[in-house]
């Protein structure tokens, strides 16, 4: 009887040891397996303004046999939405996460954090600070943006002896937008079905700024708007050489902003709108200046082709 009583605790101890080894082994296996399951995206964090868009793409997935087919889901659709193709669209200020899950293996996941900043594109309600008399008078008209198309693209001249107070903008994006709608609306309102914007040399604008800027132009003129350089449009066959005009942009109007120099006083830039080689308006050597946290601009040379 005593022998049986001694054997019982020994058996229990062996059984407990086997169970512990199995549980610990499973935990180690699970940890190792999770390390081998991973989705690497083209972005891990995104900052957008309301209305801004960005394309998410799968760069790499482990294990590779799972393929790159994934689903996208937003943690807060009031802040950010995402479609089946991974196009993220900012709705309003806030933070949300995009959860990416492999279609073949639900255990393979990734998250991308999206921060939507407050939209500062609206004019400030505070009064403009005084401007000194030695400020250079802008020759490009600076009017409040309006959807209506002006009958002429020649900027109005101020009354003799009167120096107009230059309009101030919260951001460079707002400044460029104002120049475009007050000087290029006639050309942008022509029969073309889309607008191309070349912002490759607008280095002061972030990627999200550029996406937001293109979206604002698209909404203003109710036309498809793409970000393409002159060379990319040639490669796509949208720009072709022509004996009469030099070149023609097929069914497209091209807006181009080149920031040529940046120093302590501000940013020097060129801005243009072109329909074809002999139909365009160009403002060269313009200057964006920052005063009291706001932006103003001075126009340079106006060239009309």
């Amino acid at each position: 009887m005593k022998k049986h009583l001694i054997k019982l605790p020994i058996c229990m101890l062996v059984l407990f040891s086997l169970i512990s080894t199995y549980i610990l082994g499973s935990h180690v296996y699970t940890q190792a397996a999770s390390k081998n399951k991973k989705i690497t995206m083209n972005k891990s964090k995104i900052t957008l303004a309301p209305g801004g868009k960005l394309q998410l793409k799968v760069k790499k997935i482990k294990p590779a046999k799972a393929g790159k087919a994934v689903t996208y889901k937003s943690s807060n659709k009031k802040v950010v939405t995402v479609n089946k193709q991974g196009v993220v669209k900012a709705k309003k200020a806030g933070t949300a996460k995009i959860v990416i899950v492999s279609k073949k293996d639900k255990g393979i996941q990734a998250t991308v954090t999206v921060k939507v900043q407050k939209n500062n594109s609206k004019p400030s309600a505070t009064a403009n600070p005084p401007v000194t008399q030695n400020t250079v008078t802008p020759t490009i008209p600076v009017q409040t943006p309006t959807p209506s198309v002006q009958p002429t693209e020649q900027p109005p001249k101020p009354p003799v002896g009167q120096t107009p107070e230059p309009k101030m903008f919260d951001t460079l994006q707002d400044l460029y937008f104002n120049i475009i709608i007050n000087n290029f609306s006639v050309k942008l309102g022509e029969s073309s079905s889309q607008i191309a914007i070349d912002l490759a040399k607008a280095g002061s604008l972030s990627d999200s700024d550029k996406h937001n800027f293109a979206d604002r132009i698209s909404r203003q003129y109710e036309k498809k708007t793409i970000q393409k350089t002159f060379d990319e449009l040639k490669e796509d066959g949208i720009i072709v050489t022509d004996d009469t005009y030099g070149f023609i942009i097929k069914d497209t109007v091209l807006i181009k902003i080149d920031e040529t120099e940046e120093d302590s006083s501000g940013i020097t830039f060129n801005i243009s709108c072109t329909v074809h080689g002999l139909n365009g308006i160009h403002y060269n050597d313009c200057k964006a200046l920052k005063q009291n946290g706001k932006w103003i601009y001075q126009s340079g040379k106006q060239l009309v082709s």
Side-chain angles (χ1 to χ4, degrees):
M1 183 68 178
K2 288 182 179 180
K3 289 182 180 180
H4 288 293
L5 290 173
I6 293 170
K7 286 180 180 180
L8 183 60
I10 295 173
C11 291
M12 293 294 289
L13 183 62
V14 172
L15 180 61
F16 177 76
S17 176
L18 289 171
I19 293 171
S20 299
T21 303
Y22 173 77
I23 292 172
L24 289 171
S26 299
H27 179 67
V28 171
Y29 173 78
T30 302
Q31 283 187 324
S34 63
K35 288 182 180 179
N36 291 327
K37 291 184 177 184
K38 184 180 179 183
I39 298 176
T40 304
M41 303 297 294
N42 61 329
K43 299 282 184 182
S44 59
K45 293 181 179 179
I46 303 171
T47 301
L48 294 171
K53 294 180 182 179
L54 191 136
Q55 173 75 61
L56 287 178
K57 292 182 181 179
V58 177
K59 291 178 68 177
K60 190 189 297 183
I61 192 165
K62 286 185 179 181
K65 65 180 180 181
K68 289 189 176 181
V70 296
T71 60
Y72 299 90
K73 186 176 181 180
S74 171
S75 66
N76 191 339
K77 293 181 180 179
K78 292 182 179 179
V79 174
V80 171
T81 60
V82 61
N83 64 14
K84 293 180 180 180
Q85 290 72 42
V87 177
V88 176
K89 184 172 182 180
K91 306 294 285 184
K92 69 174 186 176
T95 302
K97 292 185 181 293
I98 304 299
V99 181
I100 301 96
V101 181
S102 168
K103 287 186 176 180
K104 284 194 175 181
D105 188 341
K106 304 298 182 184
I108 308 176
Q109 298 185 6
T111 58
V112 175
T113 302
V114 184
K115 182 178 180 182
V116 181
Q117 295 179 330
K118 226 173 184 180
N119 192 349
N120 295 322
S121 62
K122 294 182 180 180
S124 172
T126 58
N128 291 334
V131 179
T132 56
Q133 290 298 318
N134 59 355
T135 302
V136 179
T137 302
T139 56
I140 302 176
V142 283
Q143 304 169 358
T144 303
T146 173
S148 62
V149 176
Q150 303 296 328
T152 175
E153 295 187 12
Q154 291 299 322
K157 295 181 180 180
V160 177
Q162 181 179 340
T163 302
E165 184 177 330
K167 184 170 178 62
M168 292 193 166
F169 304 92
D170 291 332
T171 66
L172 269 174
Q173 184 187 146
D174 295 338
L175 186 151
Y176 292 145
F177 185 72
N178 182 271
I179 293 174
I180 287 168
I181 67 170
N182 284 291
N183 294 276
F184 303 150
S185 284
V186 170
K187 295 196 180 300
L188 292 172
E190 291 180 0
S191 59
S192 61
S193 64
Q194 72 174 1
I195 299 170
I197 303 181
D198 184 353
L199 300 174
K201 294 184 179 179
S204 65
L205 299 181
S206 66
D207 288 344
S208 62
D209 286 338
K210 293 175 182 179
H211 281 288
N212 189 35
F213 188 73
D215 193 49
R216 289 175 71 182
I217 294 293
S218 179
R219 293 198 306 268
Q220 178 73 21
Y221 296 98
E222 298 182 345
K223 291 184 179 183
K224 178 183 176 183
T225 303
I226 57 175
Q227 284 193 63
K228 294 273 187 177
T229 65
F230 188 90
D231 291 338
E232 287 171 338
L233 292 171
K234 284 182 70 175
E235 290 176 4
D236 293 344
I238 296 175
I239 292 181
V240 295
T241 57
D242 183 82
D243 293 337
T244 303
Y245 301 109
F247 65 86
I248 292 175
I249 312 176
K250 294 181 179 178
D251 200 25
T252 303
V253 179
L254 174 62
I255 297 171
K256 188 173 183 181
I257 300 174
D258 288 349
E259 293 177 354
T260 58
E261 185 180 352
E262 183 174 0
D263 55 33
S264 58
S265 65
I267 296 171
T268 304
F269 65 94
N270 304 328
I271 186 167
S272 62
C273 179
T274 308
V275 178
H276 56 66
L278 295 178
N279 187 354
I281 298 178
H282 312 264
Y283 291 99
N284 293 340
D285 300 325
C286 303
K287 192 84 173 181
L289 304 172
K290 203 162 191 179
Q291 294 184 359
N292 301 320
K294 302 283 186 178
W295 288 94
I296 66 170
Y297 64 86
Q298 303 167 355
S299 68
K301 306 167 189 174
Q302 180 183 359
L303 304 175
V304 180
S305 58

